[in-house]
Amino acid sequence: MVSLPWSYPYPTPPGSGFWGPRTSTIDWCEENYVVSMYVAEAMNTITNGMFVALAAFAIYNAITQKHEKRFILTAMGFALVGVGSWLFHMTLQYEYQLLDELPMIYATCVPTWAVFSYARNKKDTILLGVYIFLGASILTAVYLHFKDPTIHQAGYAVLTGMVLFRSLYLIVTKIEDAHARADMWRTVIIGIVTFLSGYGLWMIDIHFCGTLRHARRAVGMPYGFLLEGHGWWHILTGLGVYYYLVFLEYLRICLVGRAPEYNYVWDWGFFPHVDLKKTTSAKEVKKNN
């Protein structure tokens, strides 16, 4: 073990902890119950706080800045993913694994409906919602039957890809304001890079698990916590999803002609949100909603 200040050695993993034997179909690279007997995967649990915190801010911003209810619903789904993932990694129980995985699909269904319903009539919009609901239900049933995480991962990837490419198409074909397009592209690019960086660290965590566990034990706690790739996946994908949610809010605002009412704000140069201009009247906001 490398001698580092304030470093503590990892204990031998116990057979099980407070939550009993693992029932989930997945077990990640983080060693179980080495930090606390009450938390199976400590870092994989705590890092879900990023999802919950960003979702809470997104909900607050959507309410206070008078965004459409679809964005409140999407952010609530985002929060549910964080809570479900927290419970899953804390317990490694199958029922909480489902609470982690299935809300990812359901939360993504809302922006799928939003971007594909643009410029459709009311009847087609309702039919689209029914088709998306049926598709999500079938995917859920298939996944519950086979219990193969690859099915969930593939379904989520397809949905996310559909929403992304449709959104990019709308930028190119419908957004004429150069400044608005620049803000959108900046947000999308940062979001994609952040998301893919998290995915890359997760893949390293999967394929080099033995090496990483050895390295963690070599440096001890808390330094080894920084080598938890799945934890970084939570942090970076949480940020990536937040960027994409903000992008969708602004895209919608521009598509329905409300861009003059809003400012696209970059706090600290990297944290975006879409806020009402101070001069926008409450009467005008109510009329447009």
Side-chain angles (χ1 to χ4, degrees):
M1 178 175 174
V2 179
S3 179
L4 295 173
W6 304 294
S7 177
Y8 298 90
Y10 279 81
T12 301
S16 63
F18 177 80
W19 302 100
R22 175 177 67 88
T23 61
S24 64
T25 61
I26 307 173
D27 193 4
W28 305 104
C29 186
E30 183 174 4
E31 295 183 77
N32 299 340
Y33 295 107
V34 294
V35 175
S36 169
M37 67 173 293
Y38 298 102
V39 182
E41 297 174 344
M43 292 303 103
N44 288 350
T45 299
I46 293 171
T47 50
N48 281 292
M50 177 64 77
F51 272 90
V52 177
L54 290 173
F57 177 78
I59 293 169
Y60 168 79
N61 186 261
I63 293 172
T64 58
Q65 304 306 317
K66 310 301 180 184
H67 294 298
E68 293 180 61
K69 292 181 178 63
R70 66 183 69 188
F71 297 110
I72 300 174
L73 187 60
T74 302
M76 289 174 66
F78 183 19
L80 183 58
V81 171
V83 172
S85 186
W86 180 293
L87 293 172
F88 168 40
H89 289 288
M90 184 174 70
T91 66
L92 291 181
Q93 299 300 298
Y94 180 66
E95 58 268 31
Y96 294 123
Q97 178 183 342
L98 296 179
L99 189 59
D100 172 17
E101 294 172 333
L102 293 179
M104 294 171 65
I105 300 294
Y106 306 149
T108 309
C109 286
V110 179
T112 302
W113 170 81
V115 296
F116 281 97
S117 65
Y118 172 70
R120 294 177 182 266
N121 59 42
K122 185 175 181 180
K123 179 182 176 181
D124 288 344
T125 298
I126 293 172
L127 282 175
L128 177 63
V130 171
Y131 293 148
I132 291 173
F133 173 79
L134 290 175
S137 299
I138 292 170
L139 178 60
T140 300
V142 171
Y143 179 48
L144 291 177
H145 177 73
F146 290 101
K147 296 184 178 181
D148 183 354
T150 305
I151 296 172
H152 159 263
Q153 293 163 6
Y156 177 67
V158 169
L159 270 178
T160 302
M162 289 171 57
V163 177
L164 176 62
F165 286 111
R166 173 64 174 174
S167 301
L168 298 182
Y169 170 79
L170 291 174
I171 294 179
V172 172
T173 60
K174 301 297 181 181
I175 305 302
E176 298 180 355
D177 183 87
H179 186 70
R181 289 179 67 168
D183 277 326
M184 289 183 193
W185 280 116
R186 178 182 176 186
T187 308
V188 167
I189 291 171
I190 293 175
I192 291 174
V193 170
T194 303
F195 192 96
L196 292 179
S197 297
Y199 181 77
L201 291 173
W202 178 27
M203 290 299 100
I204 292 172
D205 198 59
I206 290 174
H207 296 292
F208 297 95
C209 181
T211 301
L212 287 170
R213 284 186 175 181
H214 178 77
R216 291 174 201 144
R217 287 189 168 273
V219 298
M221 298 185 287
Y223 303 102
F225 297 160
L226 298 175
L227 300 177
E228 297 290 354
H230 195 77
W232 284 110
W233 155 258
H234 290 157
I235 293 170
L236 294 175
T237 55
L239 279 168
V241 170
Y242 173 78
Y243 279 119
Y244 192 61
L245 178 58
V246 174
F247 156 69
L248 287 177
E249 287 177 341
Y250 196 46
L251 175 63
R252 176 66 180 175
I253 286 167
C254 292
L255 289 175
V256 298
R258 296 183 61 200
E261 302 172 31
Y262 285 86
N263 286 321
Y264 200 95
V265 181
W266 287 91
D267 284 340
W268 313 294
F270 72 90
F271 189 78
H273 47 95
V274 186
D275 294 353
L276 278 169
K277 292 180 178 178
K278 302 300 183 183
T279 55
T280 303
S281 68
K283 183 178 180 180
E284 184 179 4
V285 171
K286 185 176 182 180
K287 176 184 176 182
N288 285 299
N289 274 296

